[in-house]
Amino acid sequence: MNTAFCLPAIDDFHRTLNGKNTHLFILRNRAGMQIAISDYGARLVSALVPNKYGDLIDVVLGFDSIQKYWNADEQYHGATIGRFANRIADGKFSLNGKEYRLPQNNGSSCLHGGPNSFHTRVWDRQVIYNANKIMFYLVSEDMDNGFPGNVKTIVSYELTDQNEIIINFRVSSDKPTPINLTNHAYFNLNGEGNGDVLEHQLKIDAPTFIEIDERQIPTGNQLSVKNTPFDFSSYTKIGDAINDQSLQLQYAGGYDHSFVCNKGIEECSASAYSENSGIQLNVYTTYPTVHLYTGNFLAGDIGKSGQAYGKYSGFCLEAQHFLDNPNQPSFPKSILNPGEAYSHTIKYKFCIKK
């Protein structure tokens, strides 16, 4: 078990990709918390959070050099996901009478915007150190991975003195286009590399979750969580029912499901807690759903602490719009039109559970 955590070395993130230089940026607050963020994928690399003993532990899975991010089997660690988080069925959608075809990079689906998408780009940036804030900028050109519109995206990270990481997404487009951005951080509240997260307690304030089929595409149905392995209405261990014979869990190899919360930024949508460390993570968001993923397909990449990230080594709580909504008649759409402003926020708040 790793008991001494530190941030990666800044120099190990100074490289060049496609003619653009990559960097690592460090933000610190007055409470002692520290986070590291890279312009490669506008991603969260580390979050050093005090545990119940006052020791700082890194609760975000990731790597200690940019080269390891490039070489990893899992490409999404901590990254900004776009243009469209999660799956779009059959790699296509129709909009205003025209069909658009996307890369199929997850079976027949387009996953997380396709290959070489937002998580693989080097973003432009501006650091505002006196406000503990960094802003990343990216222009995605018309028909990038098959999506219409020249899309301008700003992603900001702010570290507050209340041990909050506030992530805001702002997007504009010159053509109608589906947009669904999220952050793909994997968390382990015992510290990255310190075993699996099956003993973590999880609470999700959602009456329903989205049913999926064997391709992990939504059926269009929302199912009640009551009397199912998806009932996290009170604190429940992640591992309590993860091996249940439910078809929903079998389709995904664990939890890889969206919960319909619709709480708004002032109310907590989801909360996780480790008795081992005492650290509690609360998630607040303007998005309507929180997607729980339990690292079912993590394949053994060696992380910052030198430990392998195997199955269930981390969990994601990805706040986002309804998955595959361009193809789902009953789901709210997330189509951005010219002149409209897309603005959504995810807040990760860390504290010690009383």
Side-chain angles (χ1 to χ4, degrees):
M1 180 175 177
N2 186 9
T3 56
F5 292 91
C6 59
L7 296 177
I10 290 176
D11 288 349
D12 290 332
F13 283 75
H14 286 174
R15 298 292 185 273
T16 302
L17 178 67
N18 298 327
K20 300 192 74 172
N21 294 328
T22 62
H23 307 83
L24 187 72
F25 305 93
I26 309 299
L27 299 180
R28 298 177 173 87
N29 70 8
R30 295 178 182 177
M33 186 173 161
Q34 306 171 42
I35 63 174
I37 311 152
S38 176
D39 47 12
Y40 173 65
R43 75 181 65 224
L44 183 64
V45 170
S46 291
L48 294 185
V49 179
N51 65 11
K52 62 184 177 182
Y53 305 108
D55 301 318
L56 290 176
I57 65 173
D58 191 346
V59 298
V60 171
L61 276 61
F63 307 103
D64 57 10
S65 74
I66 196 67
Q67 192 71 46
K68 291 179 181 178
Y69 277 98
W70 294 343
N71 296 338
D73 286 331
E74 170 55 52
Q75 292 291 302
Y76 302 117
H77 280 289
T80 295
I81 302 298
R83 289 189 189 186
F84 200 94
N86 219 293
R87 294 166 178 83
I88 294 182
D90 299 318
K92 63 182 180 180
F93 65 91
S94 293
L95 182 60
N96 297 333
K98 181 177 180 180
E99 182 176 272
Y100 294 89
R101 292 191 171 271
L102 315 172
Q104 297 176 335
N105 61 326
N106 183 254
S108 62
S109 301
C110 178
L111 177 66
H112 292 334
N116 305 315
S117 198
F118 285 16
H119 63 286
T120 70
R121 311 285 171 84
V122 181
W123 295 54
D124 295 319
R125 67 270 156 198
Q126 178 185 9
V127 185
I128 310 170
Y129 283 118
N130 61 346
N132 280 348
K133 188 173 185 178
I134 185 166
M135 304 178 74
F136 295 102
Y137 308 87
L138 182 71
V139 175
S140 173
E141 295 183 351
D142 186 31
M143 301 310 295
D144 184 6
N145 271 336
F147 289 92
N150 293 293
V151 165
K152 298 179 180 179
T153 301
I154 301 173
V155 177
S156 65
Y157 288 83
E158 180 181 4
L159 176 62
T160 75
D161 289 334
Q162 289 71 46
N163 286 355
E164 301 164 331
I165 302 172
I166 300 175
I167 307 173
N168 179 255
F169 307 95
R170 285 183 284 161
V171 189
S172 63
S173 176
D174 62 1
K175 291 182 181 178
T177 190
I179 295 289
N180 186 18
L181 303 187
T182 191
N183 179 270
H184 205 293
Y186 287 89
F187 296 102
N188 185 325
L189 302 181
N190 292 328
E192 58 84 21
N194 280 342
D196 62 48
V197 295
L198 297 181
E199 293 295 310
H200 282 49
Q201 302 273 351
L202 179 64
K203 182 179 179 181
I204 303 177
D205 194 358
T208 62
F209 72 99
I210 296 174
E211 182 183 46
I212 58 173
D213 64 18
E214 65 278 5
R215 299 176 301 156
Q216 294 185 255
I217 297 299
T219 65
N221 296 324
Q222 295 182 42
L223 303 180
S224 172
V225 301
K226 288 185 177 180
N227 302 314
T228 76
F230 296 85
D231 190 351
F232 291 98
S233 55
S234 59
Y235 277 112
T236 303
K237 288 184 180 179
I238 290 175
D240 273 1
I242 203 167
N243 293 315
D244 187 270
Q245 293 305 300
S246 159
L247 278 178
Q248 287 297 295
L249 289 171
Q250 291 185 47
Y251 287 155
Y255 294 101
D256 195 354
H257 294 78
S258 288
F259 292 75
V260 182
C261 299
N262 276 317
K263 303 301 291 184
I265 197 66
E266 300 300 326
E267 295 186 61
C268 183
S269 292
S271 180
Y273 162 66
S274 165
E275 186 176 353
N276 184 305
S277 68
I279 295 174
Q280 179 173 314
L281 165 62
N282 296 329
V283 180
Y284 303 78
T285 185
T286 57
Y287 281 117
T289 80
V290 173
H291 192 87
L292 170 64
Y293 177 51
T294 47
N296 312 326
F297 297 102
L298 290 176
D301 289 320
I302 304 301
K304 287 171 283 188
S305 60
Q307 302 299 313
Y309 295 151
K311 188 175 184 178
Y312 309 145
S313 289
F315 67 91
C316 303
L317 291 170
E318 305 163 56
Q320 57 190 255
H321 286 294
F322 280 64
L323 63 163
D324 193 36
N325 68 68
N327 295 315
Q328 299 290 329
S330 65
F331 286 0
K333 299 294 184 284
S334 57
I335 304 300
L336 178 64
N337 294 303
E340 294 178 348
Y342 177 107
S343 180
H344 281 283
T345 300
I346 301 171
K347 179 167 70 175
Y348 298 126
K349 180 176 177 61
F350 298 91
C351 59
I352 300 300
K353 184 172 174 61
K354 302 299 184 182

